[in-house]
Amino acid sequence: PSNLEKTIFLLKRLQEIDILPNEVNICDCGIGLGTTMFDLYLQSKDFEDKKFTFTGIEKWKPYIDFLNNNLISLWDGNLNLIESDIMDQNYSSYNMIWFYQPFRQSDKAINFYKKIILEANKNTIIFGLDQFQIQTYGDDEIKNMFSQLKQHILDDLICYQK
């Protein structure tokens, strides 16, 4: 299934397993054109008792320009768009982190996974960690860090909680 198909009713599924916090601060690392994040934004409107903050990080200028020129108005001021490299950000202020294969090279991916796991606070929900990549290419440090995360299986989507 596509990335978008996996997010259908994602917030409700997180609520059903009781891991969706009352204040959700979501970060999409490599937001692209914002398709996944916008789907989550629309879903958030069904949760009147929760507060949501949406942040997208993107470094590719054509995506930034297209978002700013054509799509940002759809967000009604609810997207914090950061033009930057995802490795230059600190992720400690987010309690839900989403990414989808931001690096093709395994060593760069492993370094990014380490950064996310180290900076994430307790109970942060992380989407995008690649267990196969970690077990195959990771060192003992990342394997140990990964083993301490709690896995949640939501149909065909897996997330991890610190």
Side-chain angles (χ1 to χ4, degrees), residues 139-153:
D139 57 17
D140 289 341
E141 180 187 20
I142 186 72
K143 289 177 184 177
N144 182 52
M145 292 165 60
F146 183 76
S147 71
Q148 295 176 39
L149 302 175
K150 182 176 181 181
Q151 183 183 72
H152 298 280
I153 300 174

Side-chain angles (χ1 to χ4, degrees), residues 31-70:
I31 191 172
L33 295 177
T35 310
T36 298
M37 188 70 103
F38 191 70
D39 180 46
L40 296 176
Y41 167 65
L42 293 176
Q43 289 179 41
S44 73
K45 294 178 179 241
D46 291 336
F47 293 88
E48 294 177 9
D49 60 330
K50 297 189 182 293
K51 181 181 180 213
F52 289 84
T53 305
F54 299 91
T55 301
I57 303 166
E58 182 58 59
K59 74 174 186 178
W60 202 49
K61 187 79 167 131
Y63 282 160
I64 293 287
D65 290 345
F66 191 86
L67 265 166
N68 280 327
N69 295 330
N70 301 289

Side-chain angles (χ1 to χ4, degrees), residues 97-102 109-118 120 124-134 142 145-147 149-151 157-162:
I97 302 169
W98 178 278
F99 51 90
Y100 183 75
Q101 301 176 339
I110 294 297
N111 287 336
F112 179 65
Y113 300 160
K114 281 183 184 179
K115 177 178 179 55
I116 291 288
I117 295 170
L118 281 170
T124 295
I125 303 163
I126 306 168
F127 291 92
L129 292 173
D130 185 329
Q131 182 176 1
F132 174 79
Q133 206 171 31
I134 290 170
I142 186 72
M145 292 165 60
F146 183 76
S147 71
L149 302 175
K150 182 176 181 181
Q151 183 183 72
L157 184 63
I158 298 173
C159 68
Y160 297 90
Q161 190 173 23
K162 188 165 177 184

Side-chain angles (χ1 to χ4, degrees), residues 10-11 20 23-29 31 34-47 50-57 72 74-82 93-96 98:
L10 177 58
L11 297 179
L20 187 67
E23 290 190 19
V24 184
N25 194 356
I26 305 174
C27 180
D28 188 338
C29 307
I31 191 172
T35 310
T36 298
M37 188 70 103
F38 191 70
D39 180 46
L40 296 176
Y41 167 65
L42 293 176
Q43 289 179 41
S44 73
K45 294 178 179 241
D46 291 336
F47 293 88
K50 297 189 182 293
K51 181 181 180 213
F52 289 84
T53 305
F54 299 91
T55 301
I57 303 166
I72 203 78
L74 300 172
W75 287 86
D76 298 322
N78 291 301
L79 176 65
N80 304 313
L81 185 58
I82 299 172
S93 64
Y94 305 104
N95 57 11
M96 186 182 297
W98 178 278

